[in-house]
Amino acid sequence: MKTTTRVAVIGGGVVGCSVLYHLTKLGWSDVMLIERSDLTSGSTWHAAGGFHTLNGDTNMAALQGYTIRLYKELEEITGMSCGLHHVGGVTLADNRDRFDMLLAERAKHRYMGLDTHIVGPEEIARIAPITNLDGIIGALYDPLDGHLDPSGTTHAYARAARMAGAEVVTHCMVRETNQRADGSWDVVTDKGTVHAEHIVNAAGLWAREVGAMAGIYFPLHPMEHQYVVTDEVPEICERDEEHPHVMDPAGESYLRQEGRGLCIGFYEQKAKPWAVDGTPWDFGHELLPDDLDKIEESIAFAYRRFPVLERAGVKSVIHGPFTFAPDGNPLVGPVPGMRNYWSACGVMAGFSQGGGVGLMLAQWMVEGECERDTFAMDCARYGDWITPGYTRPKVIENYQKRFSVAYPNEELPAARPFRQTPMYDIFDRMGAVWGHQYGLEVVNYFAQGDEPRFETPSFRRSNAWEATKREVRTVREGVGINETHNFGKYRVTGPGARAWLDRIMAGRIPAPGRMALTPMLSPKGRLWGDFTVSCLDDETFQLTASYGAQAFHMRWFLANAEAGVRVENISDRVTGFQIAGPAAREVLQSVTRTDISDMRFLDVRSLTVGMADCLVQRVSYTGDLGYEIFCDPMVQRALWSTLWEAGQPHGMKPFGMRAMMSLRLDRFFGAWGREFSPDYTAAETGLDRFISWKKNVDFVGRTAAERERAAGAARTLRPFEVDTLDADVHAYEPIWIGGAVRGFCTSGGYSHFADKAVALGLIPTEVAQPGLEVEIEILGEMRPARMLDTPLFDPEGARLRG
């Protein structure tokens, strides 16, 4: 075993071996893998080995497609068999909501290049004849679905890595991970110490324990999972070809052929967490005791859906643990707050996602960034607020909902409320219907009278419709108020603050008392942030951006730290309110002794509002006349009383995020994670208008941005008015132009101000001509749409800037 290496990958399951292989594929050969037992020990060896592309996140689906296509390449490289069975698969829908979800997924697949199909009962009967079709509306068929040999595939990854120079060390127990002053690591094992520039935690069931060696908490928890393999089934023996997979969300099961019998697994409601207080180090190639009582109801349902099962004998029961993150997606990437420590954990669907995870992590390490937006699996999507007490109930909830319908407006209840602002009880008494972001309770809208305090999950217009319309009209006709707690907020101070911001941000850094909008770019020119920068004085700046991207942004700030600059995350140390609407100025003027009549759009001032000292910014994401008023959380309730009382003569009402997202559509404002993400560039999304090309600074991403500026962006973000019925655009619906899919929607919804359905989408630049007419596929229906050139509200910006 060598004693120095560029990368030490800890964990020899399919994910660790994939990471090792992809590092060598991208040119890093001085890498090694350390496994405490044999390769595949832990979860990999007892996995059912199924793979599929279906995933609600389009980037995750694309990475799953990459993973599946990779297996033949591995076989060619190594001469080993992965035991591939490309048998195809159907996902059944027994009600309208499930079918709507499949229609939405099929639409996404059109522009992703995935060849899936919606099929009816007659076609399902031909594809999967052992299925009882009573109550089945239809299904999604994916010819890429299949299964493989978990052990053979893992060893193929390992052999491919070895062939490229990697070392694989088994039966080597990691005892400690200790960081040196230069950021490198000493990996202490029972066979000696390895000095590594980088560590990758791919320890699977032991990821929590390995993380703890470095003082890191990974929000992961193992769950017991059980599947059954039957004896020979005559209906299977008589077939000339292998029976395809059948996913039955109603029965929370997946089924495939296993030899001459069947394999069926369940995500049951009687879910049981495993190893609550830590995974035993001596666990490895064992299984858990059979627990058929736990899946009794699931088996009964399966007998009805697949009657052949009731006549089949049980050959074996596989009951073992898998590790999940709170939302079911992996935890991948550089760990925030740590140098040279990388995560490849929580990949519960290792044979669907392992290749994509390995590729993305290797690109991150070797090239500095990934080719696509990986936030859905970025370990930075959770902050230091998360705890084991929060993780466990969320993991249980995710396991139970593994095959449930994933609605675009759904708010899941487990482990909530957890993080709350001082306004929580006040808003709750006012009828707040709560959502959450980054663990924080956020008002979606306010119910009145006998309106339910729960938004019905739906792909179509929900029962939040009337409340959202009411709140939009409050803002546009009078004045509305909501919190600014769900903004990410940062304070940058020091004598080098301005120069540092000029390098980190692509836009203009404002003068004292002013604010500016600016994109933050990656080295390759992709969007890593959509910020407002407020200059309080020559050495003090406040930044605001997406609340959910705090750890993502702080990781980048700290990676680019410089002497003479201090960057603090003050997201939860500063809160306040936004007031917006034509009466906003009158309300604010009535509660401060400072004359604000000359306060211009994008001005920043320190004001005393009532009794509270506040930072006030003349800006509003509603696109209306408005102010962001920031204060200390200790005085937030007093500030509320002041503003609320002053606002009553003007009809002030609170509004939530549903109204905010409708209001921003009136001005075609983009949103982080929708229009703005690392998948896109500033030129594609229109944020290049905020880049300061004249500043004499080599800001991050400048070379790439200037290259695109010269060549022109191949696609462009454009707004559309959509002729809809009872369903609006959410995201990723394909845009048809001239009978072909030429683009896709990034987001959309309903403008209650203009009484129009609106979509924002990316289309080829050459076709983005005035009056362009397209079709947008919404839940399987082609809906006419027309490109818009003029904002629906305040087209000249008179109220916004006046």
Side-chain angles (χ1 to χ4, degrees), residues 17-18 20-21 39 153-163 166 168:
C17 291
S18 171
L20 192 73
Y21 163 68
L39 296 184
T153 301
T154 304
H155 282 276
Y157 275 123
R159 176 177 288 185
R162 285 193 188 102
M163 291 170 65
V168 176

Side-chain angles (χ1 to χ4, degrees), residues 67-81:
T67 300
I68 295 167
R69 289 187 288 268
L70 175 65
Y71 293 134
K72 288 184 179 180
E73 179 183 324
L74 280 177
E75 290 183 330
E76 293 171 357
I77 291 171
T78 64
M80 297 177 66
S81 171

Side-chain angles (χ1 to χ4, degrees), residues 254-290:
Y254 56 89
L255 174 142
R256 67 169 175 84
Q257 184 172 332
E258 175 69 19
R260 294 164 66 86
L262 292 167
C263 166
I264 184 167
F266 306 97
Y267 285 89
E268 67 283 352
Q269 293 303 298
K270 296 178 181 177
K272 291 185 179 179
W274 182 75
V276 172
D277 295 314
T279 302
W281 285 110
D282 58 357
F283 185 84
H285 275 279
E286 301 85 356
L287 289 173
L288 306 177
D290 297 351

Side-chain angles (χ1 to χ4, degrees), residues 111 675 680-681 683-686 708 712-722 732-738 740-747 759-777 785-789:
Y111 70 85
E675 285 68 44
Y680 315 129
T681 67
E684 290 173 334
T685 57
E708 186 175 41
R715 57 185 180 178
T716 182
L717 183 69
R718 288 291 185 264
F720 296 88
E721 176 185 348
V722 191
Y732 303 116
E733 293 84 353
I735 299 174
W736 294 74
I737 303 173
V741 175
R742 302 290 305 279
F744 62 93
C745 298
T746 51
S747 73
L760 301 177
L762 284 162
I763 59 173
T765 303
E766 72 268 15
V767 303
Q769 302 301 320
L772 174 68
E773 294 187 354
V774 305
E775 291 181 299
I776 297 176
E777 184 178 351
R786 179 177 58 84
M787 196 175 83
L788 298 170
D789 299 313

Side-chain angles (χ1 to χ4, degrees), residues 427-488:
F427 282 159
D428 200 54
R429 288 194 298 269
M430 297 177 76
V433 177
W434 294 97
H436 75 293
Q437 184 186 23
Y438 205 59
L440 179 69
E441 294 298 309
V442 177
V443 180
N444 281 338
Y445 64 95
F446 290 86
Q448 291 184 1
D450 60 357
E451 292 176 343
R453 294 285 299 276
F454 176 77
E455 183 179 2
T456 304
S458 178
F459 286 90
R460 299 170 191 272
R461 291 170 184 165
S462 77
N463 59 325
W465 178 267
E466 290 299 328
T468 303
K469 183 199 305 186
R470 184 170 61 234
E471 293 172 16
V472 165
R473 288 178 175 171
T474 291
V475 172
R476 292 290 185 241
E477 297 171 5
V479 60
I481 184 169
N482 71 353
E483 283 192 271
T484 58
H485 59 318
N486 59 329
F487 289 161

Side-chain angles (χ1 to χ4, degrees), residues 46-50 130 147-148 225-233 236 242-247 253-266 302 306 308-309 312-318:
H46 63 74
I130 66 170
H147 56 276
L148 46 66
H225 182 67
Q226 203 161 201
Y227 64 90
V228 176
V229 179
T230 74
D231 289 326
E232 289 189 1
V233 174
I236 296 298
E242 191 169 352
H243 196 281
H245 289 206
V246 183
M247 277 62 70
S253 71
Y254 56 89
L255 174 142
R256 67 169 175 84
Q257 184 172 332
E258 175 69 19
R260 294 164 66 86
L262 292 167
C263 166
I264 184 167
F266 306 97
F306 310 105
V308 298
L309 289 173
V314 174
K315 182 178 180 180
S316 60
V317 177
I318 310 298

